[in-house]
Every structure is written in C-alpha cells, then in structure tokens.
Amino acid sequence: MDTKSESGRARGVLVAGVRALGLALISLSGSLVLLVLTVVSLVAVPLGVGLFTTPWVLSAVRAHANLRRLLGVQWCEVRIPTTYRSIPTDALPWTRTFRMLGDPATWRDLRWLPVDMVAGFVTALVPAALVFYPLEGFALAFGLWRVFTDGTYVGWWYGFVPVSGQGSALLAGLLGVGILVASYFLTPALLRVHFLLARSLLAPGQGELAERVRVLTETRRDAVDGSAAELRRIERDLHDGAQARLVAMGMDLGTIEALLEKNPAKARELLARARQSSAEALGELRDLVRGIHPPVLAERGLGDAVRALALRMPVPTEVSAELGGGRADAPVESAAYFAVSEVLTNAVKHSGADRIWVDMRYADGALRVSVTDNGGGGAVVGAGSGLSGVARRLGTFDGVLAVSSPAGGPTMVTMEIPCVLS
C-alpha cells in the first residue's frame, strides 16, 4: 500500500469517526425525543387531541428514519428500502392518523426508535470512540496526569490502565496507540454495522413479498394514472396550441387565395401572419416533443441532458456526472431526467437558494442522483411540493426517494433507481 492510499485511508477513518459521533448524538437525542412525543400523542388520541398531533409526530419519525436511509446509502452504501403507503395530501387529520397507524412501516419505525437510541447509539459511539479516545491517552502521556495526581496515588483511569505517575501515563499513551491502530481497521466496518442494524429493523421482514406486491400494484396504478394524465395534457396542448394555430393558418391561406388577385396588399399581410402562425405552431410542437422526450436525452444521454437542463435554470446549477460511459434503458433515463427536472423546479420556486448542485453516479447496479441546494430547507414529501409525484415516478422502476431538508437548509434530495447500463 503506497503513501497516498494510506493517507486516503487515514482520512476516511477520521471522516467515519466524525460521522459516527454525529450519528451517536442523533440516535440518542432524536430517537428519544421522537419516542416520547409518539407515546404522548398516541395516548392523547382517545381525547381527540392526538388525532391532530399524531400525523405530525409520525411524519417526523418517518423523516428521522429517511435521514438514516439517506446517510446509509451515501456513507456506507447500505440501502434501506422505503415501503410507506401513500396518503392523499388533502386527507383530513383523523384520516391521516388512522392511515399512518394502519401502515406496517409505521410500526417498524416505532419499534426501531428504542433500539436506535440504545443499540444504535452504542454502534455509533464505539467507532467514534476508537478515533477520538486515543487523544486522551496521548494527553495523559504528555503530562495531563499531573492534573489528577501528584504521583503518590491513582488519580485517573484510562481504559484499564490506572494512572498514578509518568510511567503509568506512558502506558496509557501506548494503549491509545493500540486503540488508534484498531480504529484504522475497524471504524468504517463498525459504522456500517450501525446502518445494518437500522436496516434489520426498518426493512420489511417475512411479509416482504406481500409488501413488495402491494408496492408494485400501487406504483403500476400510479404509472397508469400518470400516463393517462400525460396523454390528456398532450391532447389539450395540441388542441389549444398547435392545432388551433394550424386551423387559423389554413383559414388565412384560403383567404389569401381569394384575395391574391383582388387585393394583393391584404394577401401579403395575411401571408405574413400565416408565416408567423406556422413558426409559432412549430415552436409549440417542439416544446411539446421536448416535454415528452427531450431530443438531447435521446441523442446524448442523461448526463448531457441534465447539463442542458441546468443551463436553462435561473439559479446557477453545477452538474457532476460519472455514469461510466454507459446508458440506462430509455424509460429509466426519461424517469430520471424528469425527476431531476421536477426537483430543480421545486428548488427554484420554493427554496430561495442561490446555488444548486446535481451529482449523478452509477454504482452497485443503481443510478444515484442527488440534488442539493443552499436554500431555507423545509421540503417534505407529500406537502404539495411535487416530491410525492417524483417518488411515484421513481417507484414505477423500483426506485426510492430520500429527502433531508432541515429548517434553515441545506436541502438534499437523493434518488436511486436500480438499472443496468449498456
């Protein structure tokens, strides 16, 4: 192993330790607070108050679980599937409450909360301790032991080493070196264990096949409904746009034919108007075709199509694409393109961001796209933001959507579609 790879490995271990420390704080505080709020809200359901608070609390629990799914994919490539049942955005509070309580995925989330705040906290704290605990041993070896003892009694314990003077402090330093060496080999793997634990509780269990059939049935229905709505939109655009202009142009040409000898000046005026109508009809047809399947997507692939889309955004947008030179099937590319387009449109309209980043990568048999903006945050799936439609579009291809959007930002929307590049 060369020096460059060793330094990269050491940097990765340090990053994993910092991430593990953050996960430990999230697991303990976040899961504990959400568990208490959930219990209080469910107890208040018979009183009526819980009917209004429970949807908000359970939505927060889902956001907490989805954040873990997002971090699992990004940090350790551990994919935790989402199988939440869809709920109409205009549903009444009590309808949302009973719909969410009737969803098996909700109860998996609730069973995961106490485990996460105990076992999840431990599995995140251990890799963090392997990275940072050696610092205490080094500090003791370099003289910190004098704060705790004058050398005549044991004033501090470092691990299993009783520190009572400089000699034992050096032993503490050696133990710190041993722990640091262990962290070099164990920290990334232990961080992955944290997400594997979450997946064991959040992913469907024995009823996975039945749940999978249900999800596929819903996504197929959504795909059929979406296709019907798209067909109606195309028919409406053709009828109200290009068709109307072509009819008007035909009438103008008939009038021109009648006036060509009697009133050449008027005929030339109508001819100019007919030419303008034909140009506008052609432009509308091009826009319609671009809305169905952009030519640049068909000709140059997803990466260049998203770059062309970014150039049309009013907010500066950077695109990074590493797709290995291959291309996915046309339906998958189309779904990914329009999903990115919808997310970018949401970011421009609602986030208040002044910069957006799009990152597209293909790894482990899946296309992963993340869209990040530096706006005000607060994006939620199913809150009228259009993200629920994106989730349905991806679900048709067994894809998943994860959103991380804390108040104050930034917002990161991650999409993943299983596919094969050709």
Side-chain angles (χ1 to χ4, degrees):
M1 184 180 295
D2 57 24
T3 304
K4 185 176 181 180
S5 61
E6 287 180 355
S7 62
R9 168 78 176 184
R11 186 164 50 251
V13 169
L14 179 60
V15 170
V18 173
R19 289 172 172 174
L21 184 60
L23 277 177
L25 296 175
I26 293 174
S27 297
L28 181 60
S29 59
S31 295
L32 177 60
V33 170
L34 288 173
L35 181 62
V36 172
L37 290 177
T38 302
V39 171
V40 172
S41 185
L42 291 178
V43 170
V45 167
L47 303 177
V49 178
L51 294 175
F52 297 91
T53 60
T54 298
W56 294 95
V57 174
L58 293 181
S59 295
V61 172
R62 290 187 177 187
H64 184 58
N66 282 333
L67 175 61
R68 203 63 54 89
R69 291 183 174 96
L70 176 64
L71 298 180
V73 170
Q74 292 183 339
W75 291 355
C76 296
E77 296 184 352
V78 175
R79 185 170 179 264
I80 306 173
T82 55
T83 54
Y84 298 118
R85 295 178 180 177
S86 60
I87 301 175
T89 56
D90 57 349
L92 296 173
W94 45 87
T95 302
R96 293 181 63 86
T97 295
F98 293 116
R99 286 281 190 92
M100 296 178 82
L101 291 177
D103 189 346
T106 297
W107 295 102
R108 285 196 295 270
D109 288 351
L110 297 182
R111 286 194 298 268
W112 166 71
L113 286 179
V115 176
D116 185 54
M117 72 184 192
V118 179
F121 170 71
V122 172
T123 55
L125 185 62
V126 169
L130 287 176
V131 173
F132 297 109
Y133 190 49
L135 299 178
E136 181 184 337
F138 300 153
L140 290 170
F142 281 103
L144 183 64
W145 64 272
R146 293 185 176 88
V147 176
F148 307 106
T149 180
D150 59 3
T152 61
Y153 61 94
V154 175
W156 191 258
W157 283 79
Y158 178 72
F160 56 82
V161 176
V163 179
S164 58
Q166 185 61 50
S168 55
L170 290 175
L171 290 176
L174 288 176
L175 178 58
V177 171
I179 295 174
L180 191 61
V181 171
S183 72
Y184 184 83
F185 297 99
L186 298 178
T187 296
L190 290 175
L191 181 61
R192 183 179 175 85
V193 168
H194 173 88
F195 292 109
L196 292 176
L197 173 66
R199 184 173 68 180
S200 68
L201 294 165
L202 293 175
Q206 295 181 349
E208 184 173 1
L209 181 59
E211 188 73 11
R212 178 74 182 129
V213 171
R214 183 194 62 77
V215 172
L216 287 175
T217 302
E218 287 189 0
T219 55
R220 183 183 65 180
R221 183 173 62 250
D222 291 336
V224 172
D225 293 343
S227 298
E230 186 70 9
L231 181 60
R232 289 193 297 270
R233 182 189 69 81
I234 294 172
E235 292 175 344
R236 184 177 63 251
D237 290 347
L238 284 173
H239 182 271
D240 297 341
Q243 178 180 328
R245 293 189 184 280
L246 291 173
V247 170
M249 186 174 65
M251 295 175 63
D252 287 342
L253 290 175
T255 305
I256 290 169
E257 186 178 5
L259 294 176
L260 196 58
E261 296 181 359
K262 299 178 181 178
N263 192 346
K266 183 65 175 177
R268 283 194 296 271
E269 179 183 344
L270 292 176
L271 188 61
R273 190 169 72 181
R275 186 185 302 112
Q276 178 65 25
S277 295
S278 68
E280 292 175 352
L282 181 60
E284 290 180 353
L285 288 173
R286 285 174 175 168
D287 291 339
L288 185 62
V289 171
R290 188 179 297 112
I292 299 172
H293 194 78
V296 66
L297 179 61
E299 296 169 4
R300 303 182 62 180
L302 181 62
D304 287 337
V306 173
R307 289 188 182 96
L309 179 65
L311 292 175
R312 299 198 298 269
M313 290 291 110
V315 175
T317 303
E318 298 180 12
V319 178
S320 172
E322 296 182 8
L323 302 179
R327 295 189 59 175
D329 293 338
V332 173
E333 283 193 337
S334 180
Y337 174 84
F338 286 109
V340 172
S341 176
E342 180 68 26
V343 173
L344 288 175
T345 301
N346 279 356
V348 170
K349 287 184 177 180
H350 307 296
S351 71
D354 57 18
R355 201 157 197 85
I356 303 174
W357 297 267
V358 180
D359 182 74
M360 297 185 294
R361 300 180 186 277
Y362 180 82
D364 300 326
L367 173 66
R368 296 190 181 98
V369 183
S370 63
V371 180
T372 307
D373 66 67
N374 61 353
V380 179
V381 177
S385 62
L387 293 177
S388 56
V390 174
R392 288 194 298 271
R393 184 189 294 272
L394 298 179
T396 306
F397 299 90
D398 199 21
V400 295
L401 173 76
V403 180
S404 173
S405 185
T411 295
M412 174 179 286
V413 178
T414 301
M415 297 162 278
E416 180 179 312
I417 307 177
C419 62
V420 176
L421 300 188
S422 58

PDB file of all heavy atoms in Angstrom, residues 301-312 317 319-322 337 360:
ATOM      1  N   GLY A 301     -27.698  11.308 -24.085  1.00  0.00           N
ATOM      2  CA  GLY A 301     -27.743  10.629 -22.805  1.00  0.00           C
ATOM      3  C   GLY A 301     -28.119  11.516 -21.643  1.00  0.00           C
ATOM      4  O   GLY A 301     -28.276  12.740 -21.767  1.00  0.00           O
ATOM      5  N   LEU A 302     -28.246  10.896 -20.483  1.00  0.00           N
ATOM      6  CA  LEU A 302     -28.759  11.577 -19.293  1.00  0.00           C
ATOM      7  C   LEU A 302     -27.834  12.684 -18.805  1.00  0.00           C
ATOM      8  O   LEU A 302     -28.304  13.759 -18.433  1.00  0.00           O
ATOM      9  CB  LEU A 302     -28.970  10.543 -18.176  1.00  0.00           C
ATOM     10  CG  LEU A 302     -29.528  11.068 -16.856  1.00  0.00           C
ATOM     11  CD1 LEU A 302     -30.915  11.676 -17.065  1.00  0.00           C
ATOM     12  CD2 LEU A 302     -29.588   9.944 -15.821  1.00  0.00           C
ATOM     13  N   GLY A 303     -26.525  12.434 -18.784  1.00  0.00           N
ATOM     14  CA  GLY A 303     -25.606  13.439 -18.262  1.00  0.00           C
ATOM     15  C   GLY A 303     -25.693  14.748 -19.016  1.00  0.00           C
ATOM     16  O   GLY A 303     -25.866  15.818 -18.423  1.00  0.00           O
ATOM     17  N   ASP A 304     -25.596  14.694 -20.345  1.00  0.00           N
ATOM     18  CA  ASP A 304     -25.656  15.921 -21.153  1.00  0.00           C
ATOM     19  C   ASP A 304     -27.043  16.540 -21.117  1.00  0.00           C
ATOM     20  O   ASP A 304     -27.190  17.773 -21.178  1.00  0.00           O
ATOM     21  CB  ASP A 304     -25.262  15.610 -22.598  1.00  0.00           C
ATOM     22  CG  ASP A 304     -23.767  15.348 -22.742  1.00  0.00           C
ATOM     23  OD1 ASP A 304     -23.013  15.824 -21.868  1.00  0.00           O
ATOM     24  OD2 ASP A 304     -23.358  14.681 -23.701  1.00  0.00           O
ATOM     25  N   ALA A 305     -28.093  15.703 -21.026  1.00  0.00           N
ATOM     26  CA  ALA A 305     -29.449  16.250 -20.956  1.00  0.00           C
ATOM     27  C   ALA A 305     -29.643  17.061 -19.686  1.00  0.00           C
ATOM     28  O   ALA A 305     -30.244  18.142 -19.703  1.00  0.00           O
ATOM     29  CB  ALA A 305     -30.477  15.119 -21.030  1.00  0.00           C
ATOM     30  N   VAL A 306     -29.136  16.558 -18.545  1.00  0.00           N
ATOM     31  CA  VAL A 306     -29.263  17.295 -17.291  1.00  0.00           C
ATOM     32  C   VAL A 306     -28.395  18.557 -17.326  1.00  0.00           C
ATOM     33  O   VAL A 306     -28.776  19.603 -16.786  1.00  0.00           O
ATOM     34  CB  VAL A 306     -28.886  16.394 -16.101  1.00  0.00           C
ATOM     35  CG1 VAL A 306     -28.841  17.194 -14.806  1.00  0.00           C
ATOM     36  CG2 VAL A 306     -29.896  15.259 -15.965  1.00  0.00           C
ATOM     37  N   ARG A 307     -27.223  18.489 -17.961  1.00  0.00           N
ATOM     38  CA  ARG A 307     -26.394  19.694 -18.110  1.00  0.00           C
ATOM     39  C   ARG A 307     -27.132  20.753 -18.923  1.00  0.00           C
ATOM     40  O   ARG A 307     -27.100  21.945 -18.592  1.00  0.00           O
ATOM     41  CB  ARG A 307     -25.067  19.341 -18.770  1.00  0.00           C
ATOM     42  CG  ARG A 307     -24.115  18.533 -17.883  1.00  0.00           C
ATOM     43  CD  ARG A 307     -22.750  18.393 -18.536  1.00  0.00           C
ATOM     44  NE  ARG A 307     -21.860  17.591 -17.719  1.00  0.00           N
ATOM     45  CZ  ARG A 307     -21.656  16.292 -17.895  1.00  0.00           C
ATOM     46  NH1 ARG A 307     -22.304  15.647 -18.881  1.00  0.00           N
ATOM     47  NH2 ARG A 307     -20.833  15.622 -17.103  1.00  0.00           N
ATOM     48  N   ALA A 308     -27.786  20.328 -20.020  1.00  0.00           N
ATOM     49  CA  ALA A 308     -28.572  21.277 -20.817  1.00  0.00           C
ATOM     50  C   ALA A 308     -29.725  21.842 -20.000  1.00  0.00           C
ATOM     51  O   ALA A 308     -30.054  23.035 -20.107  1.00  0.00           O
ATOM     52  CB  ALA A 308     -29.090  20.583 -22.074  1.00  0.00           C
ATOM     53  N   LEU A 309     -30.338  21.006 -19.173  1.00  0.00           N
ATOM     54  CA  LEU A 309     -31.418  21.477 -18.300  1.00  0.00           C
ATOM     55  C   LEU A 309     -30.894  22.497 -17.300  1.00  0.00           C
ATOM     56  O   LEU A 309     -31.548  23.512 -17.033  1.00  0.00           O
ATOM     57  CB  LEU A 309     -32.025  20.280 -17.577  1.00  0.00           C
ATOM     58  CG  LEU A 309     -33.161  20.554 -16.592  1.00  0.00           C
ATOM     59  CD1 LEU A 309     -34.381  21.097 -17.319  1.00  0.00           C
ATOM     60  CD2 LEU A 309     -33.525  19.273 -15.833  1.00  0.00           C
ATOM     61  N   ALA A 310     -29.695  22.254 -16.762  1.00  0.00           N
ATOM     62  CA  ALA A 310     -29.125  23.174 -15.779  1.00  0.00           C
ATOM     63  C   ALA A 310     -28.844  24.539 -16.382  1.00  0.00           C
ATOM     64  O   ALA A 310     -28.964  25.567 -15.701  1.00  0.00           O
ATOM     65  CB  ALA A 310     -27.844  22.577 -15.200  1.00  0.00           C
ATOM     66  N   LEU A 311     -28.479  24.571 -17.662  1.00  0.00           N
ATOM     67  CA  LEU A 311     -28.187  25.847 -18.314  1.00  0.00           C
ATOM     68  C   LEU A 311     -29.432  26.729 -18.430  1.00  0.00           C
ATOM     69  O   LEU A 311     -29.319  27.953 -18.515  1.00  0.00           O
ATOM     70  CB  LEU A 311     -27.598  25.603 -19.709  1.00  0.00           C
ATOM     71  CG  LEU A 311     -26.199  24.973 -19.748  1.00  0.00           C
ATOM     72  CD1 LEU A 311     -25.790  24.688 -21.188  1.00  0.00           C
ATOM     73  CD2 LEU A 311     -25.183  25.902 -19.078  1.00  0.00           C
ATOM     74  N   ARG A 312     -30.608  26.092 -18.416  1.00  0.00           N
ATOM     75  CA  ARG A 312     -31.853  26.864 -18.523  1.00  0.00           C
ATOM     76  C   ARG A 312     -32.392  27.305 -17.175  1.00  0.00           C
ATOM     77  O   ARG A 312     -33.384  28.023 -17.111  1.00  0.00           O
ATOM     78  CB  ARG A 312     -32.918  26.032 -19.249  1.00  0.00           C
ATOM     79  CG  ARG A 312     -32.545  25.628 -20.662  1.00  0.00           C
ATOM     80  CD  ARG A 312     -33.763  25.211 -21.470  1.00  0.00           C
ATOM     81  NE  ARG A 312     -34.428  24.050 -20.892  1.00  0.00           N
ATOM     82  CZ  ARG A 312     -34.154  22.794 -21.219  1.00  0.00           C
ATOM     83  NH1 ARG A 312     -33.203  22.545 -22.110  1.00  0.00           N
ATOM     84  NH2 ARG A 312     -34.800  21.791 -20.670  1.00  0.00           N
ATOM     85  N   THR A 317     -26.433  26.392 -11.506  1.00  0.00           N
ATOM     86  CA  THR A 317     -26.538  24.966 -11.195  1.00  0.00           C
ATOM     87  C   THR A 317     -25.318  24.234 -11.732  1.00  0.00           C
ATOM     88  O   THR A 317     -25.001  24.332 -12.921  1.00  0.00           O
ATOM     89  CB  THR A 317     -27.815  24.363 -11.816  1.00  0.00           C
ATOM     90  OG1 THR A 317     -28.964  25.096 -11.344  1.00  0.00           O
ATOM     91  CG2 THR A 317     -27.965  22.898 -11.441  1.00  0.00           C
ATOM     92  N   VAL A 319     -23.383  20.605 -12.394  1.00  0.00           N
ATOM     93  CA  VAL A 319     -23.734  19.209 -12.642  1.00  0.00           C
ATOM     94  C   VAL A 319     -22.461  18.385 -12.702  1.00  0.00           C
ATOM     95  O   VAL A 319     -21.522  18.719 -13.428  1.00  0.00           O
ATOM     96  CB  VAL A 319     -24.524  19.046 -13.958  1.00  0.00           C
ATOM     97  CG1 VAL A 319     -24.834  17.575 -14.219  1.00  0.00           C
ATOM     98  CG2 VAL A 319     -25.815  19.859 -13.907  1.00  0.00           C
ATOM     99  N   SER A 320     -22.437  17.305 -11.926  1.00  0.00           N
ATOM    100  CA  SER A 320     -21.339  16.335 -11.969  1.00  0.00           C
ATOM    101  C   SER A 320     -21.936  14.979 -12.306  1.00  0.00           C
ATOM    102  O   SER A 320     -22.857  14.516 -11.635  1.00  0.00           O
ATOM    103  CB  SER A 320     -20.617  16.281 -10.622  1.00  0.00           C
ATOM    104  OG  SER A 320     -19.673  15.220 -10.586  1.00  0.00           O
ATOM    105  N   ALA A 321     -21.428  14.352 -13.371  1.00  0.00           N
ATOM    106  CA  ALA A 321     -21.985  13.078 -13.825  1.00  0.00           C
ATOM    107  C   ALA A 321     -20.856  12.085 -14.062  1.00  0.00           C
ATOM    108  O   ALA A 321     -19.951  12.348 -14.857  1.00  0.00           O
ATOM    109  CB  ALA A 321     -22.803  13.269 -15.102  1.00  0.00           C
ATOM    110  N   GLU A 322     -20.918  10.963 -13.365  1.00  0.00           N
ATOM    111  CA  GLU A 322     -19.983   9.861 -13.560  1.00  0.00           C
ATOM    112  C   GLU A 322     -20.805   8.593 -13.780  1.00  0.00           C
ATOM    113  O   GLU A 322     -21.134   7.876 -12.842  1.00  0.00           O
ATOM    114  CB  GLU A 322     -19.061   9.703 -12.351  1.00  0.00           C
ATOM    115  CG  GLU A 322     -18.140  10.910 -12.121  1.00  0.00           C
ATOM    116  CD  GLU A 322     -17.212  10.696 -10.941  1.00  0.00           C
ATOM    117  OE1 GLU A 322     -17.196   9.555 -10.408  1.00  0.00           O
ATOM    118  OE2 GLU A 322     -16.517  11.649 -10.554  1.00  0.00           O
ATOM    119  N   TYR A 337     -34.531  11.845 -15.752  1.00  0.00           N
ATOM    120  CA  TYR A 337     -34.454  13.218 -16.260  1.00  0.00           C
ATOM    121  C   TYR A 337     -35.603  14.074 -15.734  1.00  0.00           C
ATOM    122  O   TYR A 337     -35.384  15.187 -15.217  1.00  0.00           O
ATOM    123  CB  TYR A 337     -34.472  13.206 -17.787  1.00  0.00           C
ATOM    124  CG  TYR A 337     -34.545  14.579 -18.417  1.00  0.00           C
ATOM    125  CD1 TYR A 337     -33.388  15.327 -18.616  1.00  0.00           C
ATOM    126  CD2 TYR A 337     -35.762  15.123 -18.797  1.00  0.00           C
ATOM    127  CE1 TYR A 337     -33.452  16.594 -19.185  1.00  0.00           C
ATOM    128  CE2 TYR A 337     -35.834  16.381 -19.368  1.00  0.00           C
ATOM    129  CZ  TYR A 337     -34.681  17.115 -19.556  1.00  0.00           C
ATOM    130  OH  TYR A 337     -34.752  18.368 -20.104  1.00  0.00           O
ATOM    131  N   MET A 360     -24.588  12.939 -10.202  1.00  0.00           N
ATOM    132  CA  MET A 360     -25.138  11.696 -10.754  1.00  0.00           C
ATOM    133  C   MET A 360     -24.023  10.660 -10.834  1.00  0.00           C
ATOM    134  O   MET A 360     -22.960  10.932 -11.410  1.00  0.00           O
ATOM    135  CB  MET A 360     -25.735  11.936 -12.145  1.00  0.00           C
ATOM    136  CG  MET A 360     -26.899  12.901 -12.161  1.00  0.00           C
ATOM    137  SD  MET A 360     -27.645  13.042 -13.810  1.00  0.00           S
ATOM    138  CE  MET A 360     -26.285  13.802 -14.704  1.00  0.00           C
TER     139      MET A 360
END
